[in-house]
């Protein structure tokens, strides 16, 4: 068993898998929205299937809201039903 498998087994058994998945989702945010949008937005929390994202201004909030369904589709393709909705906050 290699180190990656050992860590994966430990995380699974410790009940912390959801925390690891949440961090992986946050780390992949730039892939879902692009580097420019990611520069001015940040994932803050994931509660009850809702991803809360802080954005720097109303224009970006409007832009991201317009692409919300595509962003959700990409996330759900990678993480399944872990994310059901996204709330953008300024």
């Amino acid at each position: 068993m290699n180190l990656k498998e050992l860590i994966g087994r430990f995380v699974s058994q410790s009940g912390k898998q959801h925390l690891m998945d949440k961090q992986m989702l946050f780390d992949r945010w730039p892939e879902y929205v692009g580097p420019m949008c990611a520069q001015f937005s940040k994932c803050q929390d994931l509660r009850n299937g809702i991803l809360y994202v802080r954005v720097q201004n109303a224009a970006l909030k409007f832009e991201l809201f317009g692409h919300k369904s595509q962003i959700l589709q990409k996330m759900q393709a990678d993480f399944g039903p872990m994310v059901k909705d996204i709330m953008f906050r300024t």
Side-chain angles (χ1 to χ4, degrees):
M1 179 179 299
N2 65 29
L3 183 59
K4 183 178 178 180
E5 290 171 342
L6 187 61
I7 291 171
R9 179 182 275 176
F10 171 75
V11 169
S12 267
Q13 290 175 351
S14 69
K16 304 294 183 194
Q17 184 66 43
H18 69 283
L19 293 175
M20 190 169 161
D21 290 344
K22 180 176 156 180
Q23 187 58 52
M24 285 173 42
L25 173 70
F26 287 13
D27 291 346
R28 294 187 68 182
W29 179 247
E31 293 176 36
Y32 301 124
V33 298
M36 191 64 146
C37 288
Q39 196 173 18
F40 300 102
S41 61
K42 182 179 182 199
C43 296
Q44 289 191 310
D45 199 8
L46 177 65
R47 287 184 308 228
N48 301 319
I50 300 172
L51 177 64
Y52 294 90
V53 178
R54 175 72 61 191
V55 295
Q56 285 192 358
N57 57 58
L60 179 58
K61 180 179 178 181
F62 182 78
E63 178 72 22
L64 289 172
F65 187 79
H67 295 281
K68 184 165 112 169
S69 63
Q70 292 99 336
I71 297 168
L72 271 170
Q73 283 179 337
K74 292 176 188 177
M75 289 179 172
Q76 290 169 344
D78 292 338
F79 293 96
M82 186 169 98
V83 181
K84 297 177 180 95
D85 197 7
I86 305 171
M87 298 293 292
F88 300 105
R89 299 175 169 174
T90 49

